[in-house]
């Protein structure tokens, strides 16, 4: 089997060792010969690369790890390019979490006004990277981990790039439900539907055996036996989950309990500040030349199970692990008939070397479909604002968002968004 070449754009991230650990552990599924870490931050890049080499060596993996400071220098002949960017770093994220609170709105890096700010900073940068990948290596798959994944993937696919988006929410539910039920995660199949960071699990099938087309429904048992644990995990009231009869993702809390979250956020520190402190400690650990495993602290940074999800997706797309069913972010193309074809949705798909084919979905209840359609309209306007700029386009996107939706509020948020992000907005 041919050894693969992978590139990680944003390879200087403190999160990269999580990916490296997964690649090393699952080498039989995804045979990697070379990894190129790409990042303009040279000092940090070399620090991460050194740890990556030690992790591979510790686990007896023969892959080489090299570095590059430009995309063009790193992606030649790559089989896949993974994008994990944070334009503006944790400092910009911290602002995304704070200034919306001045208007009584949720401050969060992917949801609401803060999420739009991140999209405006991120989409142009990702499209520039993708064009460099296309010029150097048009056959390479682009795997987007960069938030907001749905908006970024929509921009990539609308520009004709060979791209698919990936999030860890679904695999997180799969692993947690498997643990509750005492079964192998590969036996869990989710009826997981919606948009990135706006999804509901409507069913949990325990397969008769891995890859089987038959099994039994386990969601009622999960809610009956482990409802309190599930509610604590997604930070929503158990009574609400029981009334809905589904498991909403954690991000639905920003919609179902918006005012509660705003009140909490006003008296607590930002998640960005917390992550920044974790990252400083991680970088000190990474500098230790004897460290050859991912630190336990890395688990507190977020992104649980991303490496496993990445390996599964890459192995299927690149033909090293056979076909599989995975939850991905990609074009709707009629799967949810109430959405445009070019909307990006997050549902299970059959993935193999021929590509990604979303599986048919049973009709979605109006309670969920209405919010999905509303947020999809916002995402379309967000992509337009990111691509074309202007205050009016930013205002329209915010006015369309279900967490904003008021003229004066949208105006106030628009002014703050531009003021806090002017350095990243060429048109401002």
């Amino acid at each position: 089997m041919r050894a693969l070449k992978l590139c990680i754009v944003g390879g200087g991230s403190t999160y990269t060792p999580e990916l490296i650990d997964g690649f090393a552990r699952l080498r039989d599924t995804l045979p990697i010969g070379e990894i190129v870490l790409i990042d303009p931050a040279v000092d940090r890049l070399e620090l991460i690369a050194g740890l990556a080499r030690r992790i591979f060596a510790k686990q007896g993996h023969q892959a080489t790890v090299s570095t590059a400071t430009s995309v063009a220098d790193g992606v030649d002949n790559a089989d896949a390019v993974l994008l994990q960017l944070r334009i503006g770093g944790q400092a910009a994220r911290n602002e995304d979490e704070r200034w919306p609170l001045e208007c009584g709105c949720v401050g969060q890096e992917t949801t609401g006004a803060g999420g739009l700010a991140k999209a405006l900073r991120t989409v142009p940068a990702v499209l520039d990277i993708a064009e460099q990948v296309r010029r150097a290596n048009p056959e390479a798959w682009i795997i987007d981990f960069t938030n907001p994944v749905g908006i970024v993937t929509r921009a990539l696919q609308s520009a004709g790039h060979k791209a698919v988006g990936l999030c860890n929410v679904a695999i997180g539910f799969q692993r947690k439900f498997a643990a509750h039920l005492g079964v192998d995660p590969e036996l869990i199949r989710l009826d997981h539907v919606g948009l990135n960071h706006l999804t509901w699990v409507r069913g949990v099938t325990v397969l008769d055996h891995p890859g089987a087309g038959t099994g039994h429904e386990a969601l009622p048992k999960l809610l009956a036996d482990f409802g309190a644990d599930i509610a604590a995990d997604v930070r929503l009231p158990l009574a609400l989950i029981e009334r809905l009869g589904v498991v909403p993702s954690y991000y639905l809390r920003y919609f179902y309990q918006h005012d509660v979250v705003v009140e909490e956020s006003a008296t607590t520190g930002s998640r960005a500040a917390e992550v920044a402190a974790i990252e400083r400690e991680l970088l000190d650990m990474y500098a230790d030349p004897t460290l050859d495993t991912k630190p336990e602290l890395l688990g507190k940074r977020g992104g649980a199970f991303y490496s496993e999800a990445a390996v599964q997706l890459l192995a299927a797309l690149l033909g090293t692990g056979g076909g599989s069913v995975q939850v991905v972010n990609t074009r709707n193309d009629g799967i949810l008939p109430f959405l445009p074809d070019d909307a990006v949705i997050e549902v299970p798909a059959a993935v193999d070397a021929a590509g990604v084919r979303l599986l048919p979905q049973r009709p979605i209840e109006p309670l969920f479909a209405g919010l999905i359609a509303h947020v999809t309209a916002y995402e379309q306007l967000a992509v337009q604002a990111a691509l074309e700029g202007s205050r009016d386009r930013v205002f329209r996107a915010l006015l369309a968002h279900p967490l904003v939706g008021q003229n004066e509020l949208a105006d106030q948020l628009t002014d703050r968004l531009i003021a806090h992000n002017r350095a990243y907005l060429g048109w401002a």
Side-chain angles (χ1 to χ4, degrees):
M1 188 178 295
R2 180 178 65 87
L4 304 170
K5 177 180 177 179
L6 302 182
C7 296
I8 303 174
V9 180
S13 167
T14 56
Y15 179 74
T16 298
E18 169 67 29
L19 283 174
I20 298 297
D21 176 75
F23 293 156
R25 287 186 292 102
L26 302 171
R27 56 182 174 271
D28 292 339
T29 302
L30 190 70
I32 300 172
E34 179 182 2
I35 289 183
V36 182
L37 305 182
I38 303 173
D39 203 300
V42 178
D43 293 345
R44 189 158 159 162
L45 183 62
E46 291 301 327
L47 195 67
I48 303 299
L51 175 57
R53 294 182 186 110
R54 296 194 297 273
I55 290 174
F56 277 142
K58 171 78 171 182
Q59 300 198 31
H61 199 297
Q62 300 302 310
T64 63
V65 178
S66 59
T67 62
T69 55
S70 72
V71 175
D73 290 339
V75 300
D76 192 41
N77 296 319
D79 294 282
V81 179
L82 285 64
L83 306 182
Q84 53 172 37
L85 311 178
R86 184 176 294 281
I87 305 300
Q90 296 297 336
R93 177 183 180 178
N94 187 68
E95 293 190 352
D96 292 344
E97 294 183 21
R98 305 319 294 179
W99 57 261
L101 295 174
E102 298 170 5
C103 301
C105 292
V106 160
Q108 212 275 329
E109 66 163 339
T110 62
T111 300
L116 178 60
K118 190 173 195 302
L120 297 179
R121 295 193 302 270
T122 304
V123 166
V126 166
L127 289 179
D128 177 67
I129 290 167
E131 284 299 329
Q132 295 181 61
V133 173
R134 180 153 56 188
R135 287 195 297 269
N137 188 3
E139 296 305 311
W141 273 101
I142 295 175
I143 311 298
D144 179 54
F145 297 148
T146 299
N147 281 320
V149 167
I151 292 173
V152 172
T153 302
R154 185 168 185 167
L156 284 166
Q157 293 188 338
S158 295
H161 295 290
K162 188 178 177 182
V164 62
L166 187 62
C167 181
N168 71 325
V169 168
I171 194 171
F173 276 139
Q174 180 202 43
R175 300 305 173 92
K176 290 167 186 173
F177 294 163
H180 286 319
L181 296 170
V183 301
D184 189 295
E186 299 307 310
L187 293 177
I188 297 293
R189 181 74 54 83
L190 302 179
D191 177 2
H192 173 111
V193 66
L195 311 176
N196 180 240
H197 290 184
L198 194 85
T199 53
W200 298 261
V201 175
R202 302 185 296 171
V204 179
T205 300
V206 180
L207 302 176
D208 293 332
H209 56 80
T214 56
H216 64 274
E217 176 58 56
L219 183 56
K221 176 178 175 56
L222 280 165
L223 293 180
D225 295 351
F226 305 100
D229 292 334
I230 292 170
D233 188 45
V234 300
R235 298 188 66 191
L236 284 168
L238 175 58
L240 173 62
I241 295 173
E242 291 174 337
R243 292 178 72 181
L244 295 176
V246 303
V247 180
S249 78
Y250 167 87
Y251 291 89
L252 265 300
R253 185 169 191 258
Y254 299 119
F255 294 84
Y256 293 157
Q257 292 194 303
H258 176 275
D259 292 354
V260 172
V261 174
V262 169
E263 185 176 351
E264 290 175 354
S265 301
T267 58
T268 60
S270 70
R271 172 63 178 163
E274 181 183 349
V275 172
I278 292 171
E279 288 194 330
R280 288 191 293 271
E281 191 172 347
L282 284 171
L283 288 171
D284 287 341
M285 292 179 174
Y286 295 170
D288 179 357
T290 67
L291 182 68
D292 55 10
T293 59
K294 67 173 184 179
E296 185 176 342
L297 179 64
L298 185 54
K300 296 182 179 180
R301 190 195 176 284
F305 307 116
Y306 253 134
S307 59
E308 285 90 342
V311 168
Q312 291 177 9
L313 180 58
L314 288 166
L317 287 174
L318 302 178
T320 67
S324 59
V325 173
Q326 300 174 43
V327 174
V328 298
N329 287 264
T330 194
R331 278 178 60 97
N332 175 44
D333 282 336
I335 295 298
L336 302 186
F338 57 91
L339 297 183
D341 283 347
D342 64 345
V344 166
I345 62 176
E346 185 172 296
V347 299
V351 185
D352 57 27
V356 176
R357 297 171 301 286
L358 295 182
L359 300 180
Q361 298 296 305
R362 60 187 170 94
I364 297 180
E365 298 83 341
L367 178 60
F368 313 134
L371 186 54
I372 291 170
H374 199 160
V375 175
T376 296
Y378 151 74
E379 290 190 346
Q380 180 176 351
L381 293 169
V383 171
Q384 292 176 359
L387 295 178
E388 302 173 33
S390 86
R391 185 189 187 282
D392 187 61
R393 289 188 179 90
V394 173
F395 168 81
R396 287 172 177 269
L398 288 169
L399 190 63
H401 200 292
L403 296 183
V404 181
Q406 300 176 67
N407 173 44
E408 293 181 0
L409 182 57
D411 257 331
Q412 294 169 16
L413 289 167
T414 298
D415 288 340
R416 284 168 171 77
L417 186 155
I418 293 172
H420 284 272
N421 292 275
R422 198 176 301 275
Y424 304 100
L425 307 175
W427 51 267

